[in-house]
Amino acid sequence: GQNIDQPTEMTATEGAIVQINCTYQTSGFNGLFWYQQHAGEAPTFLSYNVLDGLEEKGRFSSFLSRSKGYSYLLLKELQMKDSASYLCACMDSNYQLIWGAGTKLIIKP
Amino acid sequence: ETGVTQTPRHLVMGMTNKKSLKCEQHLGHNAMYWYKQSAKKPLELMFVYNFKEQTENNSVPSRFSPECPNSSHLFLHLHTLQPEDSALYLCASSQVDTSSGANVLTFGAGSRLTVL
């Protein structure tokens, strides 16, 4: 079956760096997405990786290794507003999105 | 108004009620989606409309009935729901382009449904 695994919850300190991991098993692969969802709000698109390597966007970076079925989202210089859930989703060979359950990130001062 | 708008934001209904959720997108996208989000579970895709044609129905119970009158509006009609249907219902839209694969979804803020 198809499956996405990511940690349920993580805690980090303001100003620090945190890495949120995501492993996937899907029927084919057409890219991996990360979304951010603040409590009570819409998920918003953060990144899309389809080739191996690191994509950097300001304080956020996303990494993909297709051979390992693995991705991570790296958040630097953490701010309190980064407290949110981070959703990993993989697009399979039929262009269907397979979602993880999300990682709730708690930032402490 | 821009983005994806969902109404109502909160809805409480009894098991015998009939209600509808509404979604409107102002992005010119050609696909719209209904997702169910329950606590600590992955997003569950319920329905997909491409160019107003329903292309996905992931074994959703018939007490949920979608309607897509045009490419900008999407409804989810609710009838005889069960308490386990209580969840956040998210609408999303996208511009589908299978040649690039990067089908980025724009979500609404959701309708929080409680079934008593």
Side-chain angles (χ1 to χ4, degrees), chain B:
Chain B
E1 199 171 339
T2 58
V4 178
T5 305
Q6 289 187 243
T7 55
R9 291 295 310 276
H10 300 273
L11 178 62
V12 179
M13 60 188 289
M15 290 192 286
T16 57
N17 291 158
K18 283 186 185 180
K19 296 285 185 183
S20 295
L21 306 181
K22 179 183 175 182
C23 177
E24 187 172 356
Q25 60 102 354
H26 306 273
L27 300 167
H29 288 166
N30 59 12
M32 296 187 76
Y33 310 76
W34 279 115
Y35 278 93
K36 178 182 179 183
Q37 186 174 39
S38 303
K40 299 185 180 179
K41 287 187 175 181
L43 288 178
E44 297 175 46
L45 179 63
M46 300 175 73
F47 302 104
V48 181
Y49 279 83
N50 261 329
F51 295 100
K52 299 189 299 176
E53 298 295 322
Q54 185 176 312
T55 58
E56 290 285 338
N57 177 342
N58 284 356
S59 304
V60 179
S62 59
R63 56 186 184 267
F64 294 92
S65 173
E67 179 189 358
C68 187
N70 55 60
S71 58
S72 299
H73 293 85
L74 186 64
F75 295 89
L76 188 63
H77 303 301
L78 315 170
H79 177 51
T80 324
L81 294 191
Q82 305 298 310
E84 60 264 29
D85 297 322
S86 297
L88 182 68
Y89 289 84
L90 290 167
C91 174
S93 70
S94 72
Q95 185 63 27
V96 175
D97 177 5
T98 54
S99 63
S100 72
N103 186 18
V104 176
L105 300 178
T106 302
F107 286 89
S111 294
R112 173 69 62 186
L113 174 65
T114 302
V115 181
L116 301 176

